[in-house]
Amino acid sequence: MDPTPFLINADLHCHSKVSDGTLEPEALAARAKAHGVELWALTDHDEIGGQQRALDAALALDLPYLTGTEISVSFAGRVVHIVGLGFDHRDAALTEGLRATRGGRGARAREMAAGLAQVGIKDAYEGALRYVGNPELISRTHFARFLVEAGHCGDIPEVFRRFLTEGKPGYVEHKWARLGDAVRWVREAGGEAVIAHPGRYPFTPTEEYALFTEFIAHGGRGVEVVTGSHTAADAVKYTETALEFGLYASRGSDFHSPEESRTDLGRLDTHLSGRLTPIWQLLEPRIHRPTTPVRAS
């Protein structure tokens, strides 16, 4: 590992067509390599079905790899995302937990389409399905792509200003995993849990403190400090938060698509502060490298 590990171009948060990205895992591996990523993880939403493909592609490109996923969690009436890194992607309990979390997306999607139909947008369910690589993971993002393609909105940000969010047409709440379960699945599979992009959640200071406190109580050990949706001020804030709570720091673009993402894979322009300890130092034994045989389950 680099003697200044906080300067490594690590990108430990992105999505493929296995969830709501637009590129295949192999194309993401190639993009990461081309953009100078030195440590990569694919973190599809509530799914690890693309992990072996991503791992094989990364190793073929001489690109160090950490297994990953992003788990949807309900906390304080909001959806929070927990990134899992460095786990055994063949672990049965993790696989089953994620499968259960995905359950109900189909029924929710039909309710979303019904809500859009009430404001004159027809056939949204069928339209969203055209963008779905895995029907079990149909999501708001797939509906958003349909709304742009059908001319109802000019771009993805406009979709989420007008539709699919709380109080807007097409929004349907879903019961996600519990925070403690998500952290436990990851840890018992040999990995570490990370709070994803904390700057995105509209929590009060008290609610945010409760999130971090409960996360740590369940065994969570990391937080994303630098990510595609964080401002420079967010990075400063969550550097201090990581230090306050004794958490390891992570970094990732949250890349979904060349056409949609505000930050391209491997193109984050901020490194972690040298005051922080990167999560990949903790996970060093779990990093897959071309010279390291893939562990059998």
Side-chain angles (χ1 to χ4, degrees), residues 233-274:
D234 287 330
V236 171
K237 174 182 176 180
Y238 290 106
T239 291
E240 297 304 322
T241 301
L243 292 169
E244 176 187 355
F245 285 95
L247 292 169
Y248 291 84
S250 193
R251 180 179 190 270
S253 59
D254 199 5
F255 176 80
H256 286 71
S257 166
E259 291 77 30
E260 299 168 6
S261 297
R262 71 181 73 185
T263 303
D264 206 339
L265 189 65
R267 298 300 199 207
L268 286 166
D269 58 6
T270 304
H271 285 283
L272 297 180
S273 166

Side-chain angles (χ1 to χ4, degrees), residues 6 33 83 101 166 192 207 226-227 244 248 280:
F6 52 89
K33 182 69 174 181
V83 167
T101 299
E166 190 170 1
E192 297 292 347
E207 290 170 333
V226 176
T227 183
E244 176 187 355
Y248 291 84
W280 49 90

Side-chain angles (χ1 to χ4, degrees), residues 122-183:
K122 306 297 184 182
D123 302 319
Y125 179 76
E126 293 76 11
L129 275 179
R130 293 201 297 271
Y131 296 92
V132 177
N134 180 352
E136 283 191 339
L137 286 168
I138 188 169
S139 71
R140 294 187 309 158
T141 302
H142 301 115
F143 279 90
R145 289 174 185 149
F146 160 72
L147 291 171
V148 172
E149 179 209 36
H152 298 289
C153 296
D155 55 25
I156 299 293
E158 182 185 350
V159 171
F160 290 114
R161 288 194 299 270
R162 296 176 55 197
F163 304 100
L164 306 177
T165 55
E166 190 170 1
K168 306 289 186 180
Y171 176 75
V172 178
E173 187 176 1
H174 182 72
K175 184 67 174 177
W176 303 108
R178 293 181 297 185
L179 177 61
D181 289 338
V183 174

Side-chain angles (χ1 to χ4, degrees), residues 9-294:
N9 186 8
D11 198 320
L12 305 182
H13 189 162
C14 69
H15 303 274
S16 77
K17 288 188 76 171
V18 174
S19 64
D20 62 343
T22 62
L23 301 180
E24 300 289 355
E26 294 83 0
L28 284 171
R31 194 177 191 90
K33 182 69 174 181
H35 289 182
V37 173
E38 297 168 277
L39 177 63
W40 178 52
L42 172 64
T43 57
D44 280 315
H45 288 287
D46 305 311
E47 177 62 88
I48 52 178
Q51 287 303 301
Q52 192 62 52
R53 291 170 60 189
L55 172 57
D56 291 343
L59 296 187
L61 292 167
D62 197 24
L63 175 61
Y65 185 77
L66 275 169
T67 53
T69 189
E70 186 175 17
I71 306 174
S72 305
V73 166
S74 296
F75 185 85
R78 302 285 183 180
V79 179
V80 171
H81 291 157
I82 300 298
V83 167
L85 296 170
F87 49 80
D88 176 0
H89 61 289
R90 302 178 183 89
D91 183 82
L94 174 60
T95 300
E96 175 57 25
L98 295 178
R99 187 204 61 75
T101 299
R102 296 194 300 271
R105 279 184 184 256
R108 174 182 179 241
R110 291 189 181 277
E111 287 187 55
M112 291 165 66
L116 292 170
Q118 289 177 2
V119 294
I121 299 172
K122 306 297 184 182
D123 302 319
Y125 179 76
E126 293 76 11
L129 275 179
R130 293 201 297 271
Y131 296 92
V132 177
N134 180 352
E136 283 191 339
L137 286 168
I138 188 169
S139 71
R140 294 187 309 158
T141 302
H142 301 115
F143 279 90
R145 289 174 185 149
F146 160 72
L147 291 171
V148 172
E149 179 209 36
H152 298 289
C153 296
D155 55 25
I156 299 293
E158 182 185 350
V159 171
F160 290 114
R161 288 194 299 270
R162 296 176 55 197
F163 304 100
L164 306 177
T165 55
E166 190 170 1
K168 306 289 186 180
Y171 176 75
V172 178
E173 187 176 1
H174 182 72
K175 184 67 174 177
W176 303 108
R178 293 181 297 185
L179 177 61
D181 289 338
V183 174
R184 176 174 52 81
W185 297 335
V186 171
R187 297 208 69 201
E188 290 184 355
E192 297 292 347
V194 175
I195 297 175
H197 42 60
R200 279 178 47 179
Y201 310 126
F203 287 140
T204 65
T206 299
E207 290 170 333
E208 184 176 83
Y209 186 88
L211 169 64
F212 277 85
T213 302
E214 184 171 330
F215 173 74
I216 291 168
H218 288 301
R221 300 179 73 183
V223 59
E224 277 187 351
V225 172
V226 176
T227 183
S229 57
H230 276 184
T231 64
D234 287 330
V236 171
K237 174 182 176 180
Y238 290 106
T239 291
E240 297 304 322
T241 301
L243 292 169
E244 176 187 355
F245 285 95
L247 292 169
Y248 291 84
S250 193
R251 180 179 190 270
S253 59
D254 199 5
F255 176 80
H256 286 71
S257 166
E259 291 77 30
E260 299 168 6
S261 297
R262 71 181 73 185
T263 303
D264 206 339
L265 189 65
R267 298 300 199 207
L268 286 166
D269 58 6
T270 304
H271 285 283
L272 297 180
S273 166
R275 300 160 62 206
L276 298 170
T277 304
I279 191 75
W280 49 90
Q281 279 198 313
L282 178 62
L283 287 166
E284 174 65 31
R286 304 293 300 179
I287 297 174
H288 295 283
R289 303 180 187 278
T291 56
T292 304
V294 178

